[in-house]
Amino acid sequence: MERVNYRDSYSGIYCIRNIITNKVYIGKSKNIAQRISSHIHSLNSKTSSCTKLQNSWISHGGKSFEYFVLE
């Protein structure tokens, strides 16, 4: 597993994992760092369209998540 370096622009498949529950969100993007940044912004502002991810973020807090590139 490769950690996301926000200075680099990766294209591919990424994972957002709750390290407490071990549940994951899998996504794909042409710019993974930008997309994860967008996820974090919407999760922090409680406007995420992914209800399960948003609820988990609210329940466990942002520090309970890790982000990495799968492919």
Side-chain angles (χ1 to χ4, degrees):
M1 291 182 278
E2 184 177 344
R3 285 224 164 276
V4 175
N5 181 344
Y6 289 97
R7 294 183 196 141
D8 296 334
S9 177
Y10 289 99
S11 176
I13 301 169
Y14 63 92
C15 179
I16 301 174
R17 183 175 81 92
N18 182 320
I19 60 175
I20 295 171
T21 64
N22 210 32
K23 291 187 178 183
V24 298
Y25 174 91
I26 306 293
K28 65 179 179 177
S29 178
K30 292 183 180 179
N31 186 329
I32 293 173
Q34 182 180 357
R35 182 63 184 121
I36 289 177
S37 179
S38 176
H39 275 297
I40 293 169
H41 175 73
S42 65
L43 289 163
N44 282 330
S45 61
K46 299 180 182 174
T47 59
S48 176
S49 60
C50 182
T51 306
K52 289 182 181 181
L53 182 59
Q54 182 69 72
N55 290 340
S56 183
W57 188 273
I58 291 167
S59 295
H60 300 283
K63 292 186 179 196
S64 299
F65 291 82
E66 66 178 354
Y67 325 93
F68 49 91
V69 176
L70 294 173
E71 186 174 303

